[in-house]
Amino acid sequence: MYSAKHPAFSATPTLLRRFGSQLIKSTVLSANTSLRVLALGGEACPSLTVLKSWRGVGNKTQIFNIYGITEVSSWATFYRIPEKILNSTLKCELPVQLGFPLLGTVVEVRDTNGFIIQEGDGQVFLGGRNRVCFLDDEMTVPLGTMRATGDFVTMKNGEMFFLGRKDSQIKRHGKRLNIELVQQVAEGLQQVESCAVTWYNQEKLILFMVSKNDLIKDYIFKELQKYLPSHAIPDELVLIDSLPFTSHGKIDVSELNKIYLNYINLKSECKLNGKEELWEKLQHFWKSILSLSEDPLKIPGDSLFLNSGGDSLKSIRLLDEIEKLVGTSVPGLLEIILNSSILEIYNHILQAVFPDEDLTFSKNYATKRKFNDVSQEETSGKSLHQNSVMPLNCDNKINAFIALSRGSQILSLNTTRLLTKLGHCPSACSSDLISQTNIQNMESLNPPAFIVKSKDPSCVAEVSEEGTPVIEDEKMELRVRWMSDTGKCVDASPLVLIPAVDKSSATVYVGSHSCRMMAVDLYSGKVKWEQILGDRIESSACVSKCGNFIVVGCYNGLVYVLKSNSGEKYWTFTTEDAVKSSATMDPTTGLLYIGSHDQHAYALDIYEKKCVWKLKCGGTVFSSPCLSLIPHHLYFATLGGLLLAVNPATGNRVWKHSCGKPLFSSPRCCLQYICIGCVDGKLLCFTHFGEQVWHFCTSEPIFSSPCTSASEQEIFFGSHDCFIYCCNLKGHLQWKFETTSRVYSTPFAFHNPNHSDEMLLAAASTDGKLWILESKSGQLQSVYELPGEVFSSPVVWESMLIIGCRNNYVYCLDLLGGNQK
């Protein structure tokens, strides 16, 4: 107990911040202050950087971090910050530790399974052998009762460091974030007097700031980017005169939300002051979102967003900033951002916002991107049509094969006679398509896989709706069989082609950003051939009906038809922009359908070397088309948010639905429905007649395409919220599994090669992890980490998983069982 001669002051950090850092430094913690003890509690202790900035030169006040909860009579631990740390000029990144238990207090840190831990992250539990506190209507409390605090800490060398409250842990851009970290970093900046951070409507991260001087927002954002990961950068920075407080001396979050609501209402009333301001703001957004230096130089008019370091998520952020600025939605803007120069983006906005005014810049100045790497012969699609050689006579060269592509799409063609002999007659369908179950049971095509017992047991987790893991025994191991260098990132998904007559000659076809299209032997990894195309390849390959050709799109706007056995170019078809969409083949007609960034869909007859029809889709076609045989519909999705049903024979539109937000996901058909993921985080389900049946919500954008089980009773997909989901056909969640990063790629459902009656699911997260799950429960069977980011989707055949990686390699991994040698 301190006397008046030795006064002590106990306060929440927020209450102290009300004085402002300059006043704290000049009076409360000055060199001649009478304050001997400052005890900070009730909230996260300010960082050491902030505490140092509060102390005047020569100050001797002892500073304590005290921690506890009301349920255990307030204080439970204390820590005196050593003088040498407060006086040190060295930068210390660690927060202030919580310290030591008070007499009679027991402190435990438990993991998610309730086990006490000495290292790592966990929740704090407080209690004591003889210390109890009665809550609400409690009449008796057993001695030794431990109370969950809702506070999370990390244990390092026996010391506790506060991470944050349970309610301050949020999921943003697919990653976990403690908003108190953002506040601590922000208040550590010299220009910041005080600040607070809120998660407004669980949608936007808002930083409220009281400045020491005239604050330049751009400078603050640039400083924050030095110390925070990209997913922790606030959406908006709002300048205020002072922070609002509750009667308990804590930040009044509800009042901050009111301030922000008034702020956005005021902002929406502010009219854009002409075309010149639009150009300036657009360049500012461009530099800020792409983390470019804010120098006075203008962005060149022909700069492309993706080539400047942009990606799909950043493009959505730019779209939001522009639409907030102009106060209205701008139709088709996302496609323009992804495909056009900054000058074309500017002109597109001008037309939407100032439709009656002349454009400041001529559209002719910002010409369409040219395909410089394409030869004259390749670009003249018209001359190819006129001078084409005689169509290939496929009657004598039809191959029986099975083709596997992303999302468990398994196609068997020209194998009916073979399958009938084996007693696996496919369902009555003129296309000769057979189900995944039938394929997996064909003994002549799928002999028992080679199985090796795992030596390194790994933990697996069954994840409930809340994502709580349950420890089980190790089930499977993944081991690299081969890896093949493609020269640059592999974002395309592999196509695996298995000849029915000689499955040992199975081939993996995949392209990369090195412009190379490769054919690799499935079993050995030996490169059979490679062909250099005119630009980067993100499109996944598709096989022709006869099996003699593969078809792939290219960034140079061409669709290439290559001979599957040699890679020799057979035909090229020219579109007017990049082709990232993957082709789909109609087994009833042999036509191939593909979309382009030129906002058109095409039906190609590769044997006649001609375009059968061309359809304007009203938006960029990024994803791959999906074909339904009954009814005979073709589905295209656009970045303008349209889902289109098309007659495959004529190219006539059957119906369309506006989903409101961009569609990067590819549609997926089953017997009853068509499903697709949307950037607004919803999985949408429609009937084949265009009626929306249900939608399922995740918390982040869905770029992953849906995948159905062999029975078509379950739908699997991933989200940027770091979860893999399983829904039934009614849109009800069956399970969800938490990964360690965003899930961009499409899952693949397959039979367990070690237990044929069990279905598994392969999925990849962008941090390079491959996850093998039991498809009915979501229980983890195995996890393997590749040495690079993964946007490619896995394909599984027998006991082999094939996938591309951004470290330039395509991988084949063996799925090894844990029960046999």
Side-chain angles (χ1 to χ4, degrees):
M1 196 75 172
Y2 283 81
S3 65
K5 293 183 179 180
H6 303 282
F9 180 42
S10 176
T12 63
T14 296
L15 182 63
L16 194 63
R17 288 186 181 102
R18 298 181 74 167
F19 296 106
S21 57
Q22 292 299 328
L23 191 59
I24 295 172
K25 191 170 186 175
S26 62
T27 57
V28 182
L29 295 177
S30 64
N32 57 358
T33 182
S34 61
L35 185 67
R36 292 294 168 257
V37 173
L38 173 62
L40 297 174
E43 295 173 335
C45 186
S47 66
L48 286 169
T49 302
V50 172
L51 292 175
K52 289 178 185 180
S53 73
W54 284 354
R55 300 182 85 219
V57 177
N59 174 258
K60 299 297 182 183
T61 303
Q62 298 176 29
I63 301 178
F64 285 78
N65 181 21
I66 52 178
Y67 166 77
I69 58 174
T70 305
E71 292 85 341
V72 190
S73 59
S74 294
W75 307 131
T77 69
F78 74 99
Y79 176 70
R80 178 187 171 187
I81 304 171
E83 191 71 20
K84 66 178 181 180
I85 292 181
L86 290 171
N87 291 332
S88 171
T89 57
L90 296 176
K91 188 174 180 64
C92 182
E93 300 294 341
L94 281 176
V96 177
Q97 62 171 286
L98 295 186
F100 312 97
L102 296 174
L103 187 65
T105 301
V106 176
V107 179
E108 295 176 354
V109 179
R110 301 179 185 177
D111 63 17
T112 52
N113 297 310
F115 296 113
I116 297 174
I117 59 172
Q118 302 300 324
E119 288 287 323
D121 298 348
Q123 183 179 182
V124 178
F125 283 74
L126 296 177
R129 290 174 185 161
N130 300 303
R131 182 179 182 181
V132 296
C133 184
F134 294 94
L135 302 177
D136 302 324
D137 299 326
E138 291 178 343
M139 300 300 292
T140 60
V141 176
L143 292 177
T145 296
M146 300 296 289
R147 305 279 191 180
T149 64
D151 294 321
F152 287 84
V153 298
T154 186
M155 296 288 293
K156 292 184 179 180
N157 300 321
E159 298 174 343
M160 287 188 300
F161 295 92
F162 186 68
L163 292 176
R165 292 281 306 158
K166 184 176 183 179
D167 50 15
S168 70
Q169 304 286 315
I170 65 171
K171 253 314 185 43
R172 184 165 183 259
H173 299 329
K175 296 185 178 180
R176 291 193 181 279
L177 172 64
N178 173 22
I179 61 176
E180 288 168 354
L181 167 68
V182 182
Q183 179 170 327
Q184 292 222 350
V185 170
E187 69 181 1
L189 302 178
Q190 286 187 351
Q191 299 78 7
V192 179
E193 187 74 21
S194 56
C195 65
V197 180
T198 65
W199 183 227
Y200 182 76
N201 285 347
Q202 296 188 328
E203 291 180 348
K204 289 185 175 182
L205 193 65
I206 311 300
L207 174 61
F208 297 87
M209 187 172 292
V210 179
S211 173
K212 294 178 181 177
N213 46 45
D214 292 337
L215 181 67
I216 302 174
K217 287 187 179 183
D218 300 344
Y219 176 79
I220 293 297
F221 272 115
K222 188 185 295 184
E223 288 297 298
L224 290 175
Q225 287 173 347
K226 291 180 182 177
Y227 305 108
L228 290 172
S230 59
H231 70 279
I233 302 299
D235 293 298
E236 295 222 40
L237 192 159
V238 180
L239 299 181
I240 55 179
D241 295 328
S242 61
L243 293 172
F245 298 95
T246 66
S247 58
H248 299 289
K250 297 187 179 183
I251 290 291
D252 191 335
V253 175
S254 63
E255 190 62 31
L256 285 177
N257 287 339
K258 290 178 184 176
I259 292 173
Y260 181 66
L261 188 59
N262 291 333
Y263 169 80
I264 58 178
N265 288 337
L266 183 64
K267 193 173 179 180
S268 65
E269 292 172 4
C270 297
K271 297 295 182 182
L272 188 64
N273 294 321
K275 296 174 286 187
E276 291 75 16
E277 184 182 357
L278 172 62
W279 179 243
E280 295 297 326
K281 291 286 188 183
L282 179 59
Q283 294 205 73
H284 161 64
F285 294 152
W286 189 281
K287 291 178 180 179
S288 175
I289 290 169
L290 296 177
S291 300
L292 304 178
S293 60
E294 281 287 350
D295 55 48
L297 296 177
K298 302 291 185 184
I299 303 292
D302 59 355
S303 296
L304 296 170
F305 190 73
L306 294 181
N307 288 2
S308 303
D311 55 32
S312 51
L313 272 181
K314 288 178 181 177
S315 68
I316 294 169
R317 189 173 154 203
L318 179 59
L319 173 69
D320 288 341
E321 290 287 358
I322 292 170
E323 292 189 339
K324 277 191 292 186
L325 174 68
V326 301
T328 183
S329 62
V330 183
L333 180 57
L334 183 62
E335 296 101 307
I336 299 295
I337 291 172
L338 288 169
N339 301 306
S340 307
S341 68
I342 187 172
L343 198 52
E344 289 175 294
I345 296 170
Y346 169 74
N347 281 325
H348 185 82
I349 302 166
L350 275 186
Q351 285 188 310
V353 180
F354 305 106
D356 298 326
E357 297 187 31
D358 293 333
L359 300 186
T360 303
F361 298 97
S362 167
K363 272 194 169 184
N364 294 329
Y365 175 79
T367 56
K368 198 78 172 173
R369 183 179 46 181
K370 292 181 172 61
F371 306 130
N372 296 321
D373 295 328
V374 186
S375 69
Q376 183 60 39
E377 179 187 10
E378 289 176 332
T379 55
S380 56
K382 186 176 180 181
S383 65
L384 273 173
H385 289 178
Q386 294 172 342
N387 303 318
S388 63
V389 298
M390 288 293 291
L392 177 72
N393 182 358
C394 293
D395 294 338
N396 299 322
K397 294 189 177 182
I398 293 177
N399 297 312
F401 64 87
I402 295 167
L404 295 89
S405 53
R406 63 184 177 192
S408 306
Q409 296 184 85
I410 302 180
L411 175 70
S412 175
L413 281 175
N414 313 314
T415 55
T416 307
R417 209 170 292 170
L418 171 65
L419 297 177
T420 305
K421 285 182 180 179
L422 293 171
H424 295 284
C425 185
S427 57
C429 177
S430 61
S431 69
D432 195 18
L433 288 167
I434 67 173
S435 72
Q436 180 180 8
T437 306
N438 284 335
I439 290 178
Q440 297 289 344
N441 289 336
M442 288 188 291
E443 292 182 7
S444 66
L445 296 177
N446 272 335
F450 176 67
I451 300 168
V452 178
K453 185 175 178 63
S454 170
K455 295 180 181 178
D456 302 310
S458 60
C459 168
V460 305
E462 180 179 350
V463 179
S464 68
E465 186 172 338
E466 289 74 33
T468 305
V470 178
I471 304 300
E472 296 288 348
D473 293 328
E474 182 264 340
K475 296 285 195 289
M476 181 176 284
E477 180 185 357
L478 276 71
R479 189 178 300 166
V480 174
R481 183 187 188 96
W482 53 260
M483 49 192 285
S484 184
D485 189 358
T486 71
K488 280 192 178 178
C489 299
V490 187
D491 284 343
S493 300
L495 166 72
V496 179
L497 204 62
I498 303 104
V501 177
D502 179 17
K503 81 175 188 67
S504 65
S505 62
T507 305
V508 176
Y509 298 94
V510 69
S512 87
H513 285 250
S514 67
C515 311
R516 276 190 261 181
M517 188 68 207
M518 298 175 63
V520 183
D521 184 271
L522 172 61
Y523 292 94
S524 68
K526 180 181 178 181
V527 177
K528 294 184 175 182
W529 57 257
E530 65 177 43
Q531 176 68 263
I532 305 298
L533 305 187
D535 207 334
R536 290 184 289 171
I537 306 163
E538 193 173 320
S539 167
S540 300
C542 174
V543 67
S544 64
K545 184 177 180 179
C546 62
N548 293 316
F549 303 102
I550 60 164
V551 180
V552 66
C554 187
Y555 269 48
N556 63 2
L558 297 190
V559 179
Y560 288 83
V561 182
L562 309 175
K563 292 184 179 179
S564 57
N565 64 349
S566 65
E568 179 185 348
K569 292 178 186 176
Y570 174 71
W571 181 52
T572 56
F573 174 76
T574 307
T575 75
E576 297 176 19
D577 208 334
V579 181
K580 301 180 185 180
S581 170
S582 302
T584 293
M585 188 267 292
D586 190 336
T588 63
T589 63
L591 293 181
L592 285 121
Y593 310 106
I594 198 166
S596 168
H597 272 47
D598 67 7
Q599 303 193 12
H600 288 86
Y602 297 89
L604 305 178
D605 184 335
I606 64 170
Y607 305 116
E608 294 289 338
K609 294 187 176 180
K610 68 179 182 180
C611 177
V612 177
W613 54 255
K614 173 182 178 181
L615 174 69
K616 187 167 180 62
C617 295
T620 295
V621 182
F622 172 87
S623 61
S624 305
C626 174
L627 181 71
S628 167
L629 294 175
I630 305 172
H632 200 198
H633 284 176
L634 183 65
Y635 297 99
F636 285 92
T638 78
L639 296 189
L642 291 179
L643 178 63
L644 306 172
V646 178
N647 183 327
T650 64
N652 294 330
R653 188 179 297 148
V654 178
W655 56 262
K656 70 175 181 179
H657 181 92
S658 177
C659 300
K661 290 287 185 178
L663 300 169
F664 284 88
S665 169
S666 298
R668 183 64 188 265
C669 294
C670 60
L671 191 60
Q672 292 177 271
Y673 301 124
I674 176 84
C675 294
I676 191 166
C678 186
V679 162
D680 64 4
K682 293 176 183 173
L683 180 74
L684 304 165
C685 179
F686 301 87
T687 68
H688 288 286
F689 302 101
E691 177 187 359
Q692 185 172 333
V693 184
W694 52 261
H695 71 262
F696 176 84
C697 292
T698 72
S699 59
E700 294 284 345
I702 300 175
F703 284 49
S704 169
S705 302
C707 157
T708 58
S709 60
S711 65
E712 295 194 341
Q713 296 306 303
E714 292 89 24
I715 302 164
F716 310 103
F717 64 97
S719 169
H720 278 44
D721 66 6
C722 298
F723 280 95
I724 299 162
Y725 291 88
C726 173
C727 291
N728 64 19
L729 285 186
K730 293 182 179 179
H732 298 151
L733 180 68
Q734 302 298 100
W735 53 261
K736 66 178 184 179
F737 177 84
E738 185 171 14
T739 68
T740 50
S741 185
R742 294 176 291 162
V743 182
Y744 184 101
S745 66
T746 301
F748 193 101
F750 62 101
H751 280 274
N752 187 338
N754 310 314
H755 306 283
S756 60
D757 59 339
E758 181 183 44
M759 288 297 295
L760 301 179
L761 188 75
S765 49
T766 55
D767 59 358
K769 292 216 178 63
L770 301 176
W771 309 88
I772 307 298
L773 310 177
E774 201 281 315
S775 69
K776 288 293 183 184
S777 65
Q779 179 178 307
L780 182 63
Q781 302 291 297
S782 187
V783 60
Y784 184 89
E785 185 169 5
L786 293 173
E789 287 188 310
V790 171
F791 287 76
S792 172
S793 299
V795 171
V796 178
W797 171 251
E798 293 181 337
S799 59
M800 292 172 285
L801 183 152
I802 308 95
I803 194 167
C805 182
R806 283 196 165 180
N807 73 335
N808 304 348
Y809 284 82
V810 58
Y811 285 83
C812 178
L813 297 101
D814 284 317
L815 306 174
L816 307 174
N819 300 322
Q820 300 179 31
K821 278 191 176 180

